[in-house]
Structures are given as C-alpha cells and as structure tokens.
Amino acid sequence: MRIIDIAGVLIFIILIIFLPIIMRMRIYASIEGAIAELTGMVGDAEELILELSQVKERELLEGCLEFFIVPPADVDPHGVAEKFRRLLEMGDERLEKMAGKLAPGADPELRARIVMCLKIGTGLRGILKFLNHSLETARKTGNLQMLLALQMNLALIMRTARAYMDGLRAISSCLPIGDGAGPLTVGMLIDEGDEREYIHDMVHVRKSYHGKDLSILRPRGPGPRLGKIVRALEEILDEREFDRIIMVDAAAKLEGEETGTVAEGVGVAIGGSGVEKWFIENMTLSSDVTAVIIKMGPEEALGQMTGRILEACSAALETIKRIMDESDAGSVLLIGVGNSSGIPNAVEDPLKLKIKKDKERN
C-alpha cells in the first residue's frame, strides 16, 4: 500500500507541475490556429479590395488599412459628443480621399464600395493585431489567467471576425446585407417617379400618404452607405417640424429569439458609437418618436440578406402603415437606418434583390 500511496503522491506532484504547461500548450495551439485563420481572412480581404479598386501598388493599400482615429479627451465631458462627431466626419472624409487614390476613375457607387470595404478591412486587421498582442504578452509574462480569459472569448472573437469577412464579400459585390433592413423597408414606400433630394449621402423624398404629409429619409443606394443622418436631419428639421417621427432599423436579437421578428417601441432606433443617437435624441424627442426594429443576429446583419429578413421588411412596412393610419399626425418623418448596399433608392419589387436562397437561411 505504501508503494501505491507514494506513486499517487508522485503522480499528483507531476500533474501540479506539468498540467499548467499542458494547458498553456493547448491554449497556445488554439489561439495560434485562430490567428492563422484571421491572417488568411485579412489576406483575402486585401485581395478583394485590390481587385475592386484595380490598384497594383499594395503599399498604397497598406497605408489605407493602417488608418485610425484618436478618440477625443473626455476628462471634461462637456462637448465631447461634438468632438466625436467631428472626428468621425474627418475619418470619413479621409477614407473618401484614400478611395480616390486607390481608384481615381471610380464612379460614386464604386467609391462607396471601396470606402466600406476599407472600413471592414481595417476592423479585421484590428482583431488580428489584438489577438497577436494578447498572445505575445501572455508568452512574455507567462500569465496563464490572461491566456484562459482569451481562450474563453476566442469563439466570440472569431464569430465577429467571420461575420466581418462575410460582410466584406457581400459589400464588395454590392449585395444587400441584413443591416440594410431599414433602408429597404422605407425604400418600398418610394416610387420611381417621386422627386428626390440628395443631402449628405441621404435620399429625402416628400410625398402624400393617405392625406398625411410624409417625408422619407434613408441612405443613398445602391452603393454601401450609412449616410450622414445627423447632418441631413439638421437641415430637414430646420425647415419644418413633424408631428410624428418613425425610425426603422435592424437590431440585435437575443439568443433564442427568431430572426425577422418585428417589434415596435419608442425612442431613437440607431446603433453605432452612440454619437449619432445623442444628437438625434436632442433634435427629435420633442416629437412623438416611434421605433420599429427588425431583429437578427450579428452575422445576419453583416452578411448577405436572407429571405427571412426580406420577409420581415415587408412585415415591418405593414407595421409602419398601421402606425401612420392609426395616428392623427398630419406630418410624419420616416427614417430608414442602416447600410444601403445593393438596395436602390426606390424598391418597387423587393423580390428582384439578390438575397440568399431559402436553403441558406440561418
């Protein structure tokens, strides 16, 4: 028995010594595998952008993908939202110039695709740099806790990265993506013959709907644009007021919820950094603001639009019509928030859009 006891103690000591080493080796292998996959994604993204812009100097693209924005100081929070907005606008202007250098002869729609692909490519590079940095820091410090935390979040990180890559492929081909649910929904109320005003990469249409004065605002298509919604709203609201404002946007669903669920609420429905939401709330909350959201997962929002989301847009349109019919408001502003990739300004036949086939639905 004493020999068995001694052997058990020795095995226990060996496990204590070698188990952390084995754990580190396994974690290193999983993280290195993720980095290898991400490196391939970044390479594929660069090839797509090079093919899209027809540029031969890879060094020029390298400079574009290293672009960054320094956040403003928030020691004194007063005025920080305006600083953020200005920096984001400066970033967009710089990316426009970069796209012009990459593809000098590109038309506005192609240039919009290049700009959006550069944003996504920069995001992918950022994820790759973060993983590399975390892995090398853990190696230098021997910090097992850091490695465990990174491994626990690795599935979520890679899920985001794969969604980015799916979005880049769709946008580079100017296909509709899930985040285009807002522009698509309101675009179904715009007719080809409607008079349009183009302001800050947004389309503004004013028409009559069942005796109501209806204004429709959405990002300009079919190129992938988000539009400068705050600037456009400032100009529109400076000219006139509205009894009711309705905002339509894609929203992240919770796990277990059905993709394509349409929900109605109140408030400003817009994602992003929160800067635009802050400005829009200040401009609109004196009116009756209704939010209509179309729920979907992050991958569905970034990837090519599915049939389920297309059907949900039609359901959201019926919800909007019901809200307007039941309202006694004489004037309504309808805002479609999202990415206009592959979605024309007037969507008279949604079935003509290039969406994923039913068999590919999530």
Side-chain angles (χ1 to χ4, degrees), residues 200-259:
H200 302 290
D201 283 338
M202 305 287 289
V203 179
H204 179 220
V205 173
R206 187 170 176 177
K207 62 190 299 182
S208 177
Y209 175 82
H210 293 185
K212 300 180 188 296
D213 184 4
L214 174 63
S215 286
I216 302 172
L217 184 67
R218 53 148 289 183
R220 182 178 179 179
R225 298 181 181 88
L226 299 173
K228 297 180 179 64
I229 187 170
V230 174
R231 293 293 186 192
L233 270 178
E234 284 174 342
E235 290 191 17
I236 293 170
L237 295 177
D238 279 346
E239 294 179 0
R240 57 194 301 264
E241 295 181 354
F242 295 90
D243 300 324
R244 188 158 198 167
I245 297 173
I246 304 173
M247 297 189 71
V248 193
D249 193 12
K253 71 180 180 73
L254 299 175
E255 293 298 336
E257 286 188 301
E258 287 290 330
T259 295

Side-chain angles (χ1 to χ4, degrees), residues 265-328:
V266 296
V268 173
I270 186 169
S273 63
V275 176
E276 290 178 315
K277 185 175 183 180
W278 187 87
F279 281 99
I280 295 172
E281 284 175 345
N282 286 342
M283 289 188 286
T284 62
L285 288 186
S286 58
S287 304
D288 185 353
V289 182
T290 301
V292 176
I293 60 171
I294 300 164
K295 297 184 181 181
M296 62 190 73
E299 297 91 345
E300 294 166 316
L302 287 169
Q304 187 179 359
M305 184 177 288
T306 63
R308 191 176 302 172
I309 295 173
L310 181 64
E311 292 166 7
C313 292
S314 297
L317 180 62
E318 294 305 313
T319 300
I320 292 166
K321 289 179 177 178
R322 174 183 56 77
I323 293 169
M324 291 193 291
D325 289 338
E326 293 176 354
S327 174
D328 57 1

Side-chain angles (χ1 to χ4, degrees), residues 78-229:
H78 178 70
V80 73
E82 181 61 46
K83 293 178 184 177
F84 259 115
R85 180 171 76 161
R86 182 61 193 132
L87 282 169
L88 291 173
E89 288 177 350
M90 288 168 62
D92 287 340
E93 291 167 6
R94 188 64 61 86
L95 284 170
E96 285 279 352
K97 291 179 180 178
M98 289 178 180
K101 287 183 179 179
L102 287 173
D107 59 51
E109 302 307 309
L110 177 56
R111 187 170 296 187
R113 288 159 64 188
I114 295 172
V115 167
M116 197 62 66
C117 287
L118 285 174
K119 289 181 179 180
I120 299 172
T122 302
L124 275 172
R125 273 203 170 193
I127 297 173
L128 176 59
K129 287 180 178 181
F130 167 76
L131 276 184
N132 266 320
H133 167 76
S134 301
L135 178 61
E136 293 307 317
T137 301
R139 272 185 173 145
K140 288 180 180 179
T141 60
N143 192 322
L144 183 59
Q145 288 76 18
M146 180 184 292
L147 281 173
L148 288 170
L150 185 59
Q151 187 189 42
M152 285 188 288
N153 289 286
L154 194 59
L156 184 59
I157 292 169
M158 293 307 296
R159 181 179 172 184
T160 302
R162 293 184 190 110
Y164 272 38
M165 194 63 211
D166 288 344
L168 190 141
R169 291 191 184 101
I171 287 171
S172 66
S173 300
C174 204
L175 298 172
I177 63 173
D179 190 48
L184 171 56
T185 301
V186 304
M188 288 190 274
L189 280 173
I190 300 176
D191 299 319
E192 286 292 347
D194 289 336
E195 187 175 345
R196 305 167 198 177
E197 179 186 11
Y198 299 102
I199 46 176
H200 302 290
D201 283 338
M202 305 287 289
V203 179
H204 179 220
V205 173
R206 187 170 176 177
K207 62 190 299 182
S208 177
Y209 175 82
H210 293 185
K212 300 180 188 296
D213 184 4
L214 174 63
S215 286
I216 302 172
L217 184 67
R218 53 148 289 183
R220 182 178 179 179
R225 298 181 181 88
L226 299 173
K228 297 180 179 64
I229 187 170

Side-chain angles (χ1 to χ4, degrees), residues 46-61:
E46 291 176 0
E47 291 301 325
L48 277 172
I49 298 172
L50 288 170
E51 183 180 348
L52 189 64
S53 59
Q54 298 295 308
V55 67
K56 296 180 180 179
E57 298 82 5
R58 184 177 285 271
E59 294 77 14
L60 187 58
L61 177 61

